[in-house]
Structure formats: structure tokens, C-alpha cells
Amino acid sequence: MSTETENDKLEKIYEKLIKKFGIDKIAFKRHPRDERELVSARKYIYGSVPFELFGCIQDLSSNILVAWDSTAVLTPKMFFGQEPTVILLYRIVKGKINNYSETEKLYSMFSECYESKTKFIVPQTLEELQYIIDKL
């Protein structure tokens, strides 16, 4: 019987991404209502400056934005035409989504806006995520 928690899953995912790409290329966007405290995600983009402004400050196109569930990671594309790699983890790591079907619809429609379809990623399983990480 596995005793791995959802936080443990996130920790492992974050550590894999940091190991492969380095912390300077990754931004972990925490949902404002997500109260998880994760040791490995030291580079959250949140706080006194709204995430949406980071696209004004720097070009995020070569970054990887990782979120459990956050529409803020959509703003670099919407406002600035930037296409950073976006990885959404809500299908893998359980959490509270108020309206799952609407969330699915939103992200599905938004992924169609990306010119590079391989840069907007919503993996179904940890195995799929590992394959994607290996290919990035």
C-alpha cells in the first residue's frame, strides 16, 4: 500500500523538473488558495507583484511555467504573445477544482491558441509527465 501523499507527488515532480532544467528556467505558480507548503518549489512566482506583470518585466518564452491549476500561467500568451512551456498538473495531483469540466474546457480551448502544441502540456499520468520531461 502506497502512503505517498499529493504533496509528495508534487515534490517529486518539482525535483525532477529542477534537476533537468535548473531552477532559473522554471517558475512554479502556486494557486492563491493552495495552502500546500512544498520544500522543493523555492521559486514560486507570487507575492507582492501579481504574476501577470512578470511578462512585462521579462520575456518568459524560454521558461517553463508549472502550476497545479492556475489561469495566471496563460497571461504571457494572452497579453504579450509569449509562448513559455506551460505544464498543468491538476490531472495528476488531486486538489480542489470547483468546476472540473469547465476547467478542462478552458485549458483545451486555450491550448489551441498556442502555435507550438507541444508547449502547452496537461499530462494524464506521472508516466506521461516523465516522458514529456525527457523529451523537453
Side-chain angles (χ1 to χ4, degrees):
M1 178 171 77
S2 174
T3 59
E4 183 176 59
T5 67
E6 297 305 304
N7 282 12
D8 293 338
K9 282 185 192 176
L10 274 179
E11 289 281 0
K12 287 180 181 179
I13 291 167
Y14 289 176
E15 286 296 332
K16 285 179 184 179
L17 290 164
I18 291 167
K19 184 176 180 181
K20 169 104 188 223
F21 302 105
I23 193 66
D24 293 335
K25 283 293 193 189
I26 300 174
F28 297 106
K29 173 59 177 98
R30 183 173 151 166
H31 192 282
R33 292 186 301 272
D34 186 356
E35 297 176 359
R36 290 180 253 243
E37 291 297 326
L38 300 171
V39 176
S40 61
R42 295 179 188 95
K43 192 180 175 184
Y44 285 133
I45 296 183
Y46 75 105
S48 60
V49 177
F51 177 82
E52 292 78 359
L53 296 180
F54 278 87
C56 293
I57 297 167
Q58 66 185 24
D59 185 345
L60 298 173
S61 297
S62 64
N63 288 65
I64 300 170
L65 308 182
V66 182
W68 168 70
D69 173 33
S70 176
T71 57
V73 298
L74 309 180
T75 58
K77 175 65 175 170
M78 288 189 317
F79 295 152
F80 309 108
Q82 301 170 5
E83 289 198 3
T85 298
V86 172
I87 301 175
L88 294 167
L89 302 172
Y90 68 92
R91 290 180 182 163
I92 297 173
V93 180
K94 291 182 174 79
K96 182 179 180 183
I97 294 180
N98 292 332
N99 191 329
Y100 190 85
S101 64
E102 292 301 315
T103 298
E104 282 282 300
K105 190 185 307 181
L106 169 70
Y107 290 138
S108 177
M109 287 173 25
F110 192 82
S111 71
E112 295 300 314
C113 297
Y114 259 64
E115 289 179 35
S116 176
K117 303 302 181 210
T118 61
K119 293 185 84 175
F120 194 88
I121 303 162
V122 187
Q124 299 278 351
T125 64
L126 284 170
E127 293 76 20
E128 181 183 357
L129 177 61
Q130 184 60 55
Y131 177 81
I132 290 164
I133 291 169
D134 292 343
K135 294 296 180 189
L136 287 176

